[in-house]
Amino acid sequence: MNAKAKQKLVLIGNGMAGVRTLEELLKLAPDLYEITVFGAEPHPNYNRILLSPVLAGEQTVEQIVLNDWDWYRDNGITLHTGKKIVKIDRVRRRVIAEDGTEAAYDRLLLATGSNPFMLPIPGKDLDGVLAYRDIADTHAMIGAAQKYKHAVVIGGGLLGLEAANGLRARGMDVTVVHVLDALMERQLDASAAALLKLSLEQRGLTFAMNKKTQELLSDEHGRVRAVRFADGEEIPAELVVMAIGIRPNTALAESAGLQCNRGILVSDTMQTYDPRVYAVGECAAHRGIAYGLVAPLFEQAKVCANHLAEFGIGIYSGSVTSTKLKVTGIDLFSAGDFNGGADTEEITLADPIGGVYKKLVIRDDKLIGACLYGDTTDGAWYFKLLREGRKIDDIRDTLMFGEANLGDAGHAGENRAVAMADDAEVCGCNGVCKGTIVKAIKNQGLFTVDAVRKHTKASSSCGSCTGLVEQILASTLGGDYSATPAKKPICACTSYSHEEVRAAIRENKLTSLMAAMAFMEWATPNGCATCRPALNYYLISTWPHAAKDDPQARFINERAHANIQKDGTYSVVPRMWGGITNASELRRIADVVDKYQIPTVKVTGGQRIDLLGVKKEDLQNVWRDLDMPSGHAYAKALRTVKTCVGSEWCRFGTQDSTRMGIELEKALWRMYAPHKVKLAVSGCPRNCAESGIKDVGVIGVDSGWEIYVAGNGGIKTDVAQFFCKLKTHEEVLEYAGAFLQLYREEGHYLERTVHYVGRVGLDYCKRRVLDDTEGRRALWARLQDALRDEADPWHEPQKAAVDLRQFAPIKAVLVEESA
Amino acid sequence: MIKRDWLYICRLDDIPVSGARVVRIEGRPDIALFRTLDDRVFALHDRCPHRGGPLSQGIVHGARVTCPLHAWVINLDSGRAVEPDVGAATCFRVRCENGEVFLHRADARGTTAVAERETCAVA
């Protein structure tokens, strides 16, 4: 960055959206801009959504600062606080503050936020009449609570109720005035609103519903003393908080001639009509919507930063949001269209005495809205179903009872984030407790599951606690939390999703990593540990034979063709077709164990023998001496076909399951897939091979074979779903192969069959494999073609493109030259 | 000059692009020798600061490596873990000339003061 002078970037608005954009920008291009920030408030950037806990006395202002003064200094940012910009000169490209301070810009970022809407009634300018928007308002409210007794909050929405609750906690008598007959009408339906009102009344709040405020009355010192309604009634009030809504703050932008319509109009790249000027946050109107919640603002920040960094690949396409009230002890959650309409169906559960109400709104077998009160345990899960637009017909009968009811190993019965004790373990893999997560969210200012994952490691391994972490995030942050949108980029190296990447590779016949990354304008030179293996899989599965497999784009296990262990040694699992072995193989295994001093020998769950603790230098020799095919126990590929003994020996057996299993394994081995693939064949419905929890499970019955798909015995136990019934071995091979090829062609990398089928629907798989005879045969043929000359990496390493150099360390000798 | 201070290890082409090799010196802990996409070479103690995973077996991307055990990301030029993780693998000065790779003898011997090789990106 020495040759070129830095460009100047000016940010107007020192709030969450603007500063988050700077943070994202500094990550991508730390040296591109000289940055100047103007903020009207005299504070560094703080977490506005945590003002309610500050008001309620649960947190201090210091605790909610997100970027302290040092942050600006360390990043070389010039910060002007307490200076309001009054003019933008777009011709000379300068901004001018109230006190005359000027700054020139090459790029300008507007993040002016919103203004509270004040009722235009007599008395609105009296002392003691406030909005609820910033630290100053919060301080004024805390001050008033110490001196006065009666508070009136006008507005029974999210913000108004939080303000009322905070003032009540500070000892005031609080009346909430609402113009409608139900609270939070934008977030709750009538039943939930009634429960909420009851619960708040029990906490000591008073409500004046269906009341229109006409005038605020003054005492002799010019301070408010009472509120008068349109029906003539008066109630005492020494503090009046107006919380009836916010309006995007567009005055400055309008005065600069930028197009505004309920917000500063921005494109999908967050640019205004002047391409040098960007806008993010509550002041911006994107496709007609000005968002007021934090998650969409952060999405916008990411896209905006991407463009400011001159990557030019980010697109913002709107967000789906959800709501939660930040009043300690009251759980409510809503998302989507929770009121429904003529073409929707509803499932409701109401227990007014117990204070629980749940409503799910469904259209075309998809969840489109949810409103929960009293028990929001499954809010995050419903929100996920809603965003993904997943068909719920298969779980409809248990949908209301929540995710835990679907069966979940490890977390059953402890899915209640709010009720969990601080020392309760959330992430079993990394030993992270709830308290640690809450502390990180509060102290580090985290807003997303990804950020929590990075800072605490919770949900970073098996991921089964992701829902729980999401709930903790939601219950800690409250109202402004909402999860990331449905379309997720593969990783930070790109803005494209798995599907878009697959489509680009297919449609443009991309056959190498470098070509694919160049074509899709990857943000990094050679990706990262997340996207490179995914791309490599997509290339070789889309263009078998044509695409070049890159071992350096594979995880170590698939590069060394063995499983790395915690001490850096490897485990070796030779293939035994259908779990059948013999004396000669067992003798060779025993000899190998002795010769290479292999410390542990174990029988695996998939009926194979695992040799653990093999040194990497010994791997090639171990493979050679074993003289058995690779078991691929290390790969995202076909692992094993587990079998029971079947009709050859078993007195109950109806079918020859071992022969069927061996035939399947011989047909499918060396098959790479988005994730590992496990099969089982049982010879009768007693199902001794556990076919019910396999990616493809086959069960012999008297008249043939039943095929089950998308089972899983791992993190979350999912019982395989019945797929079809077949007569012959040849049919079993063709149908199982076609289903797996469909998964190979359409599954996201690291997505098991259960998740793939959950995403596309079992009906879709049936249409492609069962109903479409020609399509099925074509799928089966494509799989056979892909496997036709796939090499065994243990015995044909050259052909399998194994880099053999890795097995021998480079030896060097330090000779002391003076000796 | 080269001979006295620098120890010949291998040719650049002995290291896979965007990959690594293990360098073993008798009596010393293993060293991971990395080669980036743009042919820069780095050397780190082959132990992740987290749980001791062999960094040489990780995926090399940009000038970073992701540990194969628990996916910590380590900067190759400093050995330091990418934030928010905290920790560092010892780094070794390495240089590449005419397609040949050398390690600094003092570093390889383990007699350099840590401060002296704060940055090991000599090549």
Side-chain angles (χ1 to χ4, degrees):
Chain A
M1 284 300 125
N2 35 14
K4 212 167 94 188
K6 283 191 186 181
Q7 301 184 64
K8 293 188 172 63
L9 172 67
V10 171
L11 164 64
I12 303 178
N14 187 24
M16 295 172 75
V19 177
R20 173 53 75 103
T21 309
L22 296 186
E23 286 182 331
E24 296 281 353
L25 173 63
L26 290 168
K27 266 193 260 170
L28 296 173
D31 300 315
L32 196 57
Y33 292 99
E34 186 185 317
I35 302 173
T36 306
V37 178
F38 286 90
E41 284 188 71
H43 307 282
N45 177 37
Y46 63 90
N47 190 342
R48 199 177 294 277
I49 65 181
L50 289 180
L51 283 175
S52 289
V54 171
L55 178 64
E58 291 161 7
Q59 280 189 276
T60 64
V61 169
E62 291 70 40
Q63 282 174 326
I64 66 167
V65 167
L66 288 172
N67 304 80
D68 58 17
W69 304 104
D70 290 348
W71 179 83
Y72 295 88
R73 201 195 52 217
D74 295 346
N75 286 291
I77 296 170
T78 310
L79 173 62
H80 298 284
T81 54
K83 287 190 188 179
K84 193 175 163 194
I85 295 294
V86 290
K87 187 172 183 224
I88 301 170
D89 180 346
R90 288 202 288 129
V91 178
R92 289 166 54 229
R93 298 212 303 269
R94 303 183 75 78
V95 300
I96 301 144
E98 218 163 15
D99 68 346
T101 310
E102 287 195 23
Y105 69 83
D106 296 299
R107 307 262 162 186
L108 177 63
L109 175 57
L110 298 175
T112 48
S114 59
N115 289 327
F117 179 62
M118 302 297 277
L119 280 181
I121 52 172
K124 70 178 168 60
D125 298 320
L126 291 173
D127 280 352
V129 181
L130 299 172
Y132 180 27
R133 182 68 194 147
D134 54 25
I135 286 181
D137 295 333
T138 309
H139 279 314
M141 284 159 72
I142 294 170
Q146 286 162 356
K147 277 204 273 185
Y148 303 102
K149 187 71 192 155
H150 301 102
V152 169
V153 175
I154 302 177
L158 195 69
L159 201 59
L161 295 180
E162 288 185 8
N165 181 68
L167 292 169
R168 176 70 202 150
R170 294 210 175 247
M172 295 190 87
D173 286 342
V174 185
T175 304
V176 176
V177 179
H178 198 50
V179 72
L180 300 175
D181 58 2
L183 299 171
M184 287 181 67
E185 70 281 357
R186 289 208 296 176
Q187 288 90 15
L188 297 180
D189 70 353
S191 310
L195 280 172
L196 172 65
K197 180 160 168 276
L198 190 69
S199 164
L200 290 169
E201 278 168 348
Q202 283 163 358
R203 287 159 166 256
L205 293 184
T206 308
F207 289 91
M209 306 299 284
N210 271 318
K211 289 280 196 186
K212 194 161 179 276
T213 310
Q214 192 174 53
E215 187 179 356
L216 305 179
L217 305 175
S218 169
D219 67 5
E220 58 272 27
H221 307 293
R223 187 177 181 92
V224 64
R225 67 168 173 83
V227 174
R228 180 187 288 157
F229 300 119
D231 58 9
E233 191 192 344
E234 277 181 29
I235 56 171
E238 293 108 16
L239 173 68
V240 172
V241 179
M242 291 207 199
I244 46 179
I246 52 171
R247 288 196 168 167
N249 184 359
T250 58
L252 181 66
E254 279 176 73
S255 74
L258 294 168
Q259 266 82 343
C260 297
N261 180 11
R262 285 185 213 151
I264 305 166
L265 299 187
V266 291
S267 64
D268 284 358
T269 55
M270 307 315 295
Q271 277 159 309
T272 67
Y273 277 64
D274 178 345
R276 284 185 183 275
V277 183
Y278 295 73
V280 293
E282 290 180 326
C283 65
H286 172 264
R287 301 189 189 174
I289 303 176
Y291 292 93
L293 302 174
V294 76
L297 309 192
F298 285 180
E299 285 298 312
Q300 295 177 353
K302 220 179 187 142
V303 172
C304 185
N306 188 290
H307 278 262
L308 285 170
E310 298 174 355
F311 285 168
I313 53 169
I315 289 285
Y316 179 68
S317 45
S319 304
V320 184
T321 58
S322 70
T323 312
K324 214 165 175 291
L325 182 72
K326 281 189 301 296
V327 170
T328 310
I330 293 184
D331 292 333
L332 66 80
F333 170 90
S334 74
D337 176 6
F338 53 81
N339 280 314
D343 58 342
T344 62
E345 303 144 31
E346 284 175 17
I347 306 177
T348 51
L349 180 154
D351 175 7
I353 307 300
V356 174
Y357 171 80
K358 301 182 186 186
K359 176 160 96 176
L360 304 175
V361 181
I362 294 161
R363 185 196 294 137
D364 300 335
D365 283 335
K366 286 176 183 169
L367 187 66
I368 60 157
C371 178
L372 311 177
Y373 183 89
D375 175 7
T376 55
T377 308
D378 286 297
W381 182 57
Y382 291 133
F383 190 43
K384 184 166 154 246
L385 293 177
L386 200 145
R387 284 192 332 262
E388 290 176 354
R390 169 200 194 291
K391 290 254 183 194
I392 49 93
D393 49 332
D394 54 329
I395 52 171
R396 185 178 172 124
D397 52 343
T398 56
L399 191 63
M400 178 54 83
F401 308 114
E403 187 173 23
N405 205 58
L406 294 179
D408 189 353
H411 302 289
E414 45 167 294
N415 271 1
R416 301 187 56 96
V418 183
M420 281 176 79
D422 273 356
D423 60 357
E425 191 171 73
V426 173
C427 174
C429 298
N430 295 291
V432 187
C433 297
K434 183 193 166 191
T436 313
I437 297 173
V438 171
K439 213 169 126 193
I441 293 169
K442 286 186 174 162
N443 296 354
Q444 318 279 335
L446 311 182
F447 298 95
T448 62
V449 173
D450 268 359
V452 172
R453 198 172 281 149
K454 268 191 191 138
H455 278 84
T456 67
K457 304 291 166 216
S459 83
S460 64
S461 298
C462 82
S464 71
C465 61
T466 306
L468 198 53
V469 172
E470 241 179 33
Q471 284 175 40
I472 293 171
L473 198 57
S475 66
T476 309
L477 291 177
D480 295 273
Y481 165 76
S482 82
T484 41
K487 188 203 135 180
K488 279 180 88 168
I490 291 185
C491 65
C493 301
T494 179
S495 68
Y496 294 117
S497 66
H498 285 274
E499 263 137 35
E500 290 168 329
V501 167
R502 281 210 101 138
I505 288 172
R506 197 173 50 241
E507 285 157 19
N508 302 289
K509 195 152 199 244
L510 303 171
T511 56
S512 79
L513 268 181
M514 284 303 139
M517 287 182 178
F519 185 84
M520 290 180 267
E521 299 179 319
W522 233 242
T524 46
N526 57 351
C528 67
T530 301
C531 63
R532 214 155 85 209
L535 275 183
N536 190 62
Y537 170 71
Y538 291 150
L539 289 165
I540 59 170
S541 60
T542 309
W543 302 111
H545 314 299
K548 194 169 154 13
D549 186 6
D550 179 358
Q552 297 304 333
R554 286 183 179 260
F555 182 65
I556 181 60
N557 290 357
E558 293 186 1
R559 212 181 317 137
H561 297 279
N563 281 43
I564 195 162
Q565 303 298 313
K566 62 187 281 188
D567 63 351
T569 64
Y570 289 81
S571 81
V572 172
V573 181
R575 190 166 292 281
M576 293 173 175
W577 307 103
I580 298 287
T581 184
N582 56 44
S584 160
E585 283 180 351
L586 290 172
R587 249 183 226 109
R588 292 205 298 276
I589 291 172
D591 288 342
V592 163
V593 169
D594 284 342
K595 182 170 170 189
Y596 298 97
Q597 300 179 341
I598 293 169
T600 300
V601 182
K602 185 182 181 309
V603 176
T604 71
Q607 304 180 329
R608 305 298 135 94
I609 291 177
D610 194 355
L611 312 179
L612 291 132
V614 181
K615 291 191 220 45
K616 192 169 186 185
E617 298 93 285
D618 290 339
L619 282 175
Q620 285 180 285
N621 293 333
V622 165
W623 296 337
R624 187 198 59 224
D625 290 1
L626 283 171
D627 194 21
M628 293 163 75
S630 162
H632 291 87
Y634 49 81
K636 312 296 177 211
L638 177 83
R639 295 281 175 92
T640 61
V641 181
K642 189 174 179 176
T643 64
C644 71
V645 290
S647 59
E648 197 188 349
W649 294 95
C650 178
R651 65 201 167 95
F652 299 115
T654 57
Q655 294 287 352
D656 190 348
S657 48
T658 26
R659 184 162 72 85
M660 185 73 253
I662 292 169
E663 285 173 12
L664 275 167
E665 192 161 343
K666 292 210 162 162
L668 299 174
W669 79 297
R670 300 158 301 141
M671 179 191 82
Y672 284 110
H675 210 306
K676 58 186 172 186
V677 173
K678 298 178 176 185
L679 270 62
V681 185
S682 293
C684 81
R686 284 169 192 77
N687 199 2
C688 296
E690 297 165 340
S691 301
I693 50 164
K694 294 289 182 280
D695 296 285
V696 176
V698 183
I699 299 177
V701 291
D702 210 41
S703 54
W705 303 95
E706 287 178 355
I707 311 291
Y708 294 79
V709 297
N712 191 323
I715 290 160
K716 190 159 149 39
T717 308
D718 282 285
V719 175
Q721 305 181 65
F722 177 72
F723 197 54
C724 60
K725 198 176 155 198
L726 304 169
K727 284 234 174 324
T728 66
H729 285 227
E730 290 68 32
E731 283 177 329
V732 171
L733 288 172
E734 180 178 311
Y735 282 67
F739 168 75
L740 289 170
Q741 178 64 12
L742 188 65
Y743 164 60
R744 274 167 43 89
E745 290 178 2
E746 298 183 354
H748 296 172
Y749 189 65
L750 297 186
E751 182 176 57
R752 291 290 300 265
T753 54
V754 59
H755 302 116
Y756 165 68
V757 171
R759 182 163 57 80
V760 302
L762 185 64
D763 286 346
Y764 168 81
C765 299
K766 284 183 174 171
R767 274 203 305 282
R768 294 286 307 267
V769 177
L770 306 184
D771 305 346
D772 177 359
T773 307
E774 268 181 42
R776 175 180 66 245
R777 290 192 180 135
L779 281 165
W780 176 224
R782 284 204 292 281
L783 178 58
Q784 287 175 303
D785 176 61
L787 297 180
R788 82 177 125 83
D789 57 359
E790 187 71 43
D792 179 343
W794 288 5
H795 303 293
E796 306 161 279
Q798 248 82 27
K799 199 173 154 199
V802 182
D803 187 338
L804 295 172
R805 294 175 293 185
Q806 65 180 315
F807 299 109
I810 300 171
K811 299 249 166 77
V813 183
L814 268 174
V815 183
E816 298 306 321
E817 58 282 344
S818 56
Chain B
M1 180 66 182
I2 282 262
K3 272 239 160 101
R4 199 167 59 220
D5 290 343
W6 297 89
L7 175 65
Y8 172 78
I9 300 298
C10 62
R11 287 174 301 118
L12 178 64
D13 287 339
D14 291 334
I15 316 170
V17 178
S18 298
R21 294 288 301 275
V22 176
V23 177
R24 191 160 292 167
I25 299 173
E26 184 70 32
R28 303 290 310 152
D30 281 355
I31 296 168
L33 190 60
F34 300 94
R35 176 179 177 186
T36 63
L37 181 68
D38 54 0
D39 281 345
R40 283 181 294 161
V41 178
F42 299 97
L44 297 176
H45 183 187
D46 196 14
R47 265 182 75 83
C48 179
H50 179 222
R51 298 266 175 94
L55 296 173
S56 56
Q57 311 297 300
I59 289 180
V60 178
H61 45 99
R64 290 171 168 178
V65 63
T66 295
C67 176
L69 292 197
H70 307 97
W72 274 36
V73 182
I74 308 294
N75 283 306
L76 297 178
D77 61 354
S78 64
R80 270 193 278 275
V82 169
E83 285 182 355
D85 292 325
V86 179
T90 311
C91 54
F92 297 80
R93 279 172 286 183
V94 59
R95 67 192 293 169
C96 184
E97 274 185 8
N98 307 322
E100 296 188 322
V101 178
F102 301 84
L103 265 182
H104 198 279
R105 280 181 187 274
D107 295 356
R109 213 184 286 123
T111 54
T112 323
V114 175
E116 259 180 72
R117 46 175 144 126
E118 264 296 277
T119 57
C120 46
V122 175

